[in-house]
Amino acid sequence: MFSAVHSDRSGRLVVATDYAAAVFDGSSIGPLTVALPLPPGTDVVHLPGRLGIGLDRTRRAREFGQGRFGVAAILPLGYLRMSLPAYVDDLGSPALRPRAYAAVGADNNEQLVVAAVALDPEAGAVDGRSAPDLAARITTSQRDLPMSRVLRQLARCAKDYRCRAAANAFLGRHDCALPIAAPRNERPPDVLVLHDDADASPTEPAAFRPTPEEIADAASRHLEGGGTVVAFGRACEGEPLLAVRVVEHAIAAIRERTRLGTIHLETNGSSPVALRRLCDAGLDSVAVRVVSARAETYEAIHRPDGFRFADVRASLAHAIAGKISVALRVPALPGLTDRPRELDALVGLAGDLPEGASLVLCDLAADPQRALQVVPSAEAAVGMERMLDRLRRDAAHLRIVALPRPLVRL
């Protein structure tokens, strides 16, 4: 049995050994049963204004009382949360900052554990934000290429917002973000963020609109310097398909400079025609993001502007027909993603993907209790463990990962 953990008014963590750790599954409160020690890079945060909940000796849920607040963990890349923290929502307080909150507890040695599984442990290898020479490499790059507006923006993203894919631009490895300041065509509720995947938490988009040539210069520099992937549509970006002409010309310009590496696109799949143009231009890989494979839930969460879920499915079909590497990215929320009808729809959509495609599971950043109220349901969730078991059984032709891993052009 794991012990409950809460924080006091000063933010100090307290292990309450007289209470068992509780979790919220989207409809009810129960004991923490699936947990692992905090992975390196985990952030432990307190939940301001939310009284923590534990289980007493009779297994009944009990509030800890005034001044004893809930605690949660934010997992690093490669891990998937299994349960939400249990707390009392104060409807008179502002919503929690949208983050991927996971339930925590303490083991018999009072060491913290988190409700999570190691989905894709190798994913953490692509995270260079803590590299000791990152700051020096950023300084050197800006000194050597002072006129590069793209590198200037990436330096800000790496330093101010700790964007993983921006940091990689200066480390010469793995994937590099290519900012293009695309507009948005989704208006999700304020209680959740569709783009926050534990990579970064930007507060504003790129401050300029680069030319295709500027993008190609930064991309070829990364690919010829040891990097393997350059990607449109990361983190603070809007929807790159709305800037199809810029991306199309940038792809052509990149391939004029180098044949190395993979050109990747993160998208909501809102324009099948635009995606087909990019496939024709030489795009190598695409990841289409959907919180839900049910049209009703999708439109309530994404709140699409100028497109519908049918367009997303058509975009996936175009990518498959174009024979590029395809991934379906699903930001998951316990209590929503693991509802039976949601899971049935996800398995059905996954069945459309070709052998060897990827199903990318990551944690949806949200105020969890208020996000679940956006799409209320009387249907009890089956649990994230059973969800994973079903996906591994009924979508066995897919790679279930935390990051897309397209084949790299050598």
Side-chain angles (χ1 to χ4, degrees), residues 366-391:
D367 176 322
Q369 292 195 22
R370 298 190 189 183
L372 289 170
Q373 292 169 11
V374 174
V375 281
S377 173
E379 187 178 42
V382 300
M384 295 293 286
E385 281 187 285
R386 290 179 63 186
M387 182 200 78
L388 278 175
D389 288 343
R390 173 143 184 226
L391 290 173

Side-chain angles (χ1 to χ4, degrees), residues 112-328:
L112 295 187
V113 297
V114 59
V117 295
L119 179 70
D120 185 7
E122 295 180 1
V126 306
D127 192 344
R129 287 175 292 184
S130 299
D133 60 342
L134 176 59
R137 285 175 173 266
I138 291 174
T139 299
T140 299
S141 297
Q142 291 184 301
R143 184 188 65 223
D144 294 344
L145 297 165
M147 301 304 292
S148 174
R149 297 192 299 167
V150 173
L151 288 181
R152 194 180 310 146
Q153 178 66 47
L154 289 172
R156 185 181 182 197
C157 294
K159 292 187 295 184
D160 294 352
Y161 303 128
R162 299 199 72 242
C163 175
R164 176 191 61 79
N168 285 342
F170 302 96
L171 297 171
R173 65 185 197 185
H174 304 301
D175 56 330
C176 166
L178 296 176
I180 59 173
R184 297 186 184 278
N185 61 354
E186 295 172 302
R187 305 289 185 266
D190 292 339
V191 295
L192 60 92
V193 179
L194 297 176
H195 281 267
D196 191 340
D197 61 356
D199 247 0
S201 298
T203 56
E204 60 188 62
F208 74 104
R209 298 183 185 279
T211 65
E213 290 71 25
E214 288 178 306
I215 296 169
D217 286 343
S220 60
R221 172 183 178 274
H222 181 70
L223 296 176
E224 293 179 342
T228 55
V229 178
V230 291
F232 297 96
R234 287 290 173 84
C236 63
E237 288 290 283
E239 175 46 51
L241 294 181
L242 297 182
V244 61
R245 182 173 298 179
V246 171
V247 177
E248 185 178 42
H249 291 167
I251 291 173
I254 292 168
R255 286 305 177 217
E256 286 176 358
R257 290 162 171 77
T258 182
R259 305 302 298 177
L260 296 174
T262 295
I263 302 175
H264 178 69
L265 178 75
E266 299 273 339
T267 176
N268 58 24
S270 52
S271 174
V273 173
L275 183 55
R276 183 168 55 191
R277 284 175 58 177
L278 298 185
C279 291
D280 292 343
L283 184 70
D284 299 305
S285 168
V286 66
V288 177
R289 181 184 62 256
V290 297
V291 170
S292 171
R294 293 183 67 229
E296 179 182 0
T297 307
Y298 178 92
E299 301 202 0
I301 294 289
H302 288 255
R303 294 184 182 175
D305 182 3
F307 70 99
R308 290 293 178 262
F309 185 62
D311 297 305
V312 180
R313 298 196 72 135
S315 289
L316 277 168
H318 279 310
I320 294 167
K323 300 189 182 303
I324 66 173
S325 178
V326 178
L328 185 67

